[in-house]
Amino acid sequence: MALGKYSRVDNNNNNNRKSSSSYCSTVTIVVFVGLCLVGIWMLTSSSVVPVQTGNGSAEEKKNQVEDQVTPVTSDNNDSSNTSDFEDNRGDLPDDATKGDANVSLAENDGKGNLNTQENQDNTEETKMAESKKDDEQSASEGGEKSGDKSGEQGDSLENSDDKKSDSDENDKKSEENNEKSDLDDGDKKQDESSSETNGDQADNQIEEKVDQNDNKELEKSSDEPKDDGQLKNQSSNEVFPSGAQSELLNETVTQTGSFSTQATESKVEKETQLSSKKYSWKLCNSTAGPDYIPCLDNLEAIRHLPSTKHYEHRERHCPEEPPTCLVPLPEGYKRPIEWPKSREKIWYYNVPHTKLAQIKGHQNWVKVTGEYLTFPGGGTQFKHGALHYIDFIEESVPDVAWGKRSRVVLDVGCGVASFGGFLFDRSVVAMSFAPKDEHEAQVQFALERGIPAVSAVMGTKRLPYPGRVFDIVHCARCRVPWHIEGGKLLLELNRVLRPGGFFLWSATPIYQDKTEDVEIWEAMVELTKSMCWELVNKTSKDAVNGVAVAAFRKPTSNDCYEQRSKQEPPVCPESDDPNAAWNVPLQTCMHKVPVDASERGSQWPDRWPERLEKAPYWLSSQVGVYGKAALEDFAADNEHWKRVVTKSYLNGMGISWSSVRNVMDMNAVYGGFAAALKDLSLWVMNVVPIDSPDTLPIIYERGLFGMYHDWCESFSTYPRSYDLLHADHLFSKLNKRCNLVAIVAEVDRILRPEGKLIVRDNVETMNELENMLKSMQWEVRMTYSKDKEGLLCVQKSMWRPKEVETIKYAIA
C-alpha cells in the first residue's frame, strides 16, 4: 500500500510536473507564435508605406491601370515603351478615361507589383513555416493537431485566449489578419495587393464604400463645374484611398504624428517658395499697339534688311529675347460674336480698322455698319458670295469633289478668308494665309470671324508645312508672281501639293485680254507644262461673279519628268528633304513623286470622313512616337483622346463649347485631340513643335491641318486669335530651353479674354504655371494631380497691368 501510495504520489507528482511543463511550454509557444504573427502583420503593413509614398497604393495602381491607354502585349521589351507612352500623354483624371474595361495592366506595373508581392510572400512563408513547426510540436505535447495554417494559427490563438489573456488583443488581430490573407489568396486575380495592405475586414468594407463615393464624386464632377476647394478634395480622395492604407499614409506623410517626413518638408518648402515668388507684369508699348506680333513687328531688324525685293520685310524676324510683357486690349473690346453669325459680322471695336473697308469696300470684302464690321460678299473674285464660286469650281472640275476627295486646302493670299469660311459648308478645311501688309488686318478679320488663318508670305523661305499634304492649293487674285525667277514660288506649291492634287487659279490673266495678262498666262502655261502639271480645265467667265478658273493637276508618276527634253526646272537631289520646312530657303527644283506603294504620297487618302479614323497606310513599317509599332501607337492615341474629350473635357470642366470656335493644340502629336472634337462646330490648329517627332504629315493624312512652330518664338498670328489652347506635356519640355515667362506671355497674347487654357503636365511645371497665371489674375477653373502628373484648366481675364514697358525694336 505504501508502495502503491508512493507510486500514486510519484505519479501525481510526475503528472503535475508534466502538466506544469506542458503548460509553460504551451504558453511559451503561444506567446512566440503570437509575436511571430504580430511581426508578420507589422511587416506586411509596413511594406505598404514606401508604395504609398512613392508609387501610390495598390488600389490606386489598379485605378491608374484602367486609365492607361497603351494596349498590353506579351513582349517584355515593351515595358519601357509603355511607360513612355503614358508619361508623354499624361493620361490623368479618372473622369477623363474612367470605365475603360478593355485596357489591361501594363507589364512594367505588373512586374513591380509582382516583385513586391513575391518578397512579402517569401517572408510570410518563412515565418509561417516556423510557426507551423512550433504549433505541431505544441499540439503533439498538448494532444491537439490542426489541419492547415489558418487552423493551426486559429487554434493557437484560441488556446492563448484561454491561457493568456494579456495577449488577447494581438492574437485577435493576428487571427483576423490570417483569415483575411487566406480569403484574399483565393481572389488574388481581382486584387493582388489587398491581402497584404488591408489589415482588417472592416477596413476593406470602408475602402469599398469610399471608392464608391469617389466614383460618385467623379460622375458628379463630369456634370457640373466645381470650385478649387471641391476639386482639390476630390483629387485627394482619388489619389489616396481610405482604410488601413490611408491610416498608414496619415501616420507617415501628413504630419499628424510627432515626426514629419523629409519629403513632406521639402514639398511644403518648394510650394511655399513658388507661391511667394512674385511676377511683375508690364504692358507692351509698341507701334503696333493691340495688334503686336513680335516676330512680324521687329521694325529694328526690318530696317537693316539688305533687300525687300522678295518680301523679306513680310517674313518672320524674331527678336533675340522674346518679350515678357502683355499686349494691351483695344479700347471697347467685347466678347467675340459666336459662330456662325461671326462669319457675317464682327464687333468693330475688337478690330478697329477701317482702311481695308475703304480700299476693298466696293469688292464686298468688308464694310463698316454701325458698331459692326460686315462681310457681305467674300472677295475680289466672288463679290456676290463665296458659295456660288465654290460650287462653280466643282461643276467645272468634278474630280475636286469637295468634302469627299478634297478635304484639306491651302488658300494663298486669302484676304479676309471668306473662301475658307464657306468651305466649312462643304466639309472642307482651309489653311489660309496672307501677309501683314497694306491690306490692314486682313488675317485678323478672318480670325475674328472664326475662320482659320495665319500671317505669312511667300518670300525666300519654305512655308511651314510638310511636303505632299494639301489636296488642293487655291489662289484667287493672290498677287503672287508665279511665273518669275524660274517659277520658284510655284515650285514651292508643287512641294506641298499632294500628287494628283489640283492647283486652282482664279486671276485676270485667265479671262482678260490685256497685254500684261496675256503675257502672264502664256508664261504660266509654259512653266506648268515644264513642271508636268496638266491643265484640266480653263473655264469661261462665270455669269454671276464674272471670273474664270484654271485647274492644273500635279502628276502621280515620274514618267513626265524623265521624258522632258529640257530638265528645267531640275529635279531636286535625293538629299533634299521635301518635309524640311522650318527656315529652309526656297529651291528652284521639283521633288520626285513617290512611287513605292509603302511610301507616303504614292496613294490618295481615303475619302472624308473615313480618313479621320484610319491609320495611314505608310505607317505599317514604322515605329510610333511612344515606342510601339506605329499603327498600334496611332490607334491607342486615337482612343485615348476620344475618352479624355468625351468624359472629361466636354462635361467635366465647365466649358461652354458653343462659344468655342478657334482652337489650338500646341503639341498635337497624331492629332487625336482635334479628331475627338470633329462633331463640334469648331476648328483646331494642330501645331507640331520643331523639336518634337515630325507627325504633321499624319495629321494632314487624317484630313486635319496644322503647321510647324518653335514655341521659343512668337506664333504668326494676331493677338486674341484663339478661344481655347491645349498643351499636353509641352511646357515641361520648353522649360528646358526657353524662357517660360515669355511663353506664358505669348499664350496670353494669342488667347482671347475669357478664353480657356488646358494644360496636362508634371506637377512641378503645373505649380509654376498656376502661380504665374494667377499673378495675371487668370481664374483657375480646375486643378487635378495624381502620381506627379497634373491637369489644369484656367480662364484668361480682362486684366491688364498698368506699368508700361517700351519694346524699342518694335517702335517705328
Side-chain angles (χ1 to χ4, degrees), residues 2-28:
L3 180 62
K5 184 177 180 181
Y6 268 104
S7 176
R8 184 164 56 103
V9 171
D10 290 343
N11 287 339
N12 288 339
N13 290 339
N14 290 336
N15 288 337
N16 289 337
R17 288 191 188 99
K18 288 181 179 180
S19 176
S20 175
S21 175
S22 176
Y23 175 80
C24 294
S25 177
T26 300
V27 171
T28 302

Side-chain angles (χ1 to χ4, degrees), residues 289-292 327-330 333-334 336 349-353 444 447-448 662 717-723 747-753 796 800:
D291 300 334
Y292 176 49
V327 175
L329 297 176
Y333 182 86
K334 296 181 181 181
Y349 284 108
N350 286 11
V351 192
H353 299 292
Q444 190 175 20
L447 290 163
E448 187 71 16
N662 303 359
T717 192
Y718 281 84
R720 305 169 301 281
S721 295
Y722 288 89
D723 300 303
V747 167
D748 177 88
R749 189 184 71 85
I750 65 179
L751 188 63
R752 291 171 171 170
K796 179 180 174 180
R800 296 290 89 178

Side-chain angles (χ1 to χ4, degrees), residues 763-777:
V763 170
E764 185 177 357
T765 303
M766 297 287 288
N767 290 337
E768 187 175 359
L769 275 174
E770 183 175 348
N771 283 284
M772 206 178 297
L773 295 170
K774 283 181 178 178
S775 70
M776 295 193 297
Q777 300 188 21

